Amino acid sequence: MGLLSIAWPRRRDGCFLYVSDRGLANLILTRRGFGAITFGHVIVSNVEPTPATWRHELRHVAQYERLGLAFLPLYLWYRARYGYFDHPLERDASEDPRLFS
Ligand SMILES: [Zn+2]
């Protein structure tokens, strides 16, 4: 997704960060109302992440490390069941982490 967003990755805190408002990132992020998305240790953002956004995405990286390949189906299932604001993984990433501390 990063490469299809017409961006070169940067290393930051052990992750690859792609910042782009073009290509696939633009399609997926901006049309769905998100500023950034995380896949394992790859973070794609349509703008330079703020410190709060970066902390949030790093928390998703930690969730990926714990859940492995189960992250994506679990994320989608929670999304369908709880929506975004009550999503357990989103709440964990936005508040004091509780799930995998
Ligand atoms: Zn999130």
Side-chain angles (χ1 to χ4, degrees):
M1 181 169 161
L3 291 175
L4 293 175
S5 301
I6 315 168
W8 290 106
R10 295 192 329 248
R11 292 286 292 177
R12 183 172 168 185
D13 296 332
C15 298
F16 290 102
L17 169 63
Y18 293 86
V19 178
S20 175
D21 62 354
R22 299 179 289 169
L24 195 56
N26 188 50
L27 273 175
I28 293 176
L29 294 174
T30 57
R31 286 188 182 183
R32 306 206 79 175
F34 294 120
I37 193 164
T38 299
F39 299 99
H41 288 82
V42 176
I43 298 169
V44 180
S45 179
N46 59 3
V47 296
E48 190 65 31
T50 65
T53 299
W54 188 246
R55 278 193 304 276
H56 180 96
E57 299 307 321
L58 287 181
R59 189 64 197 153
H60 284 315
V61 171
Q63 293 167 348
Y64 264 104
E65 289 174 345
R66 287 298 187 103
L67 297 170
L69 294 176
F71 179 91
L72 196 53
L74 185 61
Y75 185 95
L76 294 173
W77 185 80
Y78 278 147
R79 178 67 190 246
R81 182 171 169 86
Y82 297 106
Y84 182 81
F85 292 106
D86 291 328
H87 193 298
L89 295 173
E90 289 300 340
R91 292 185 66 159
D92 183 65
S94 297
E95 301 169 354
D96 287 337
R98 293 187 191 119
L99 290 177
F100 305 117
S101 297

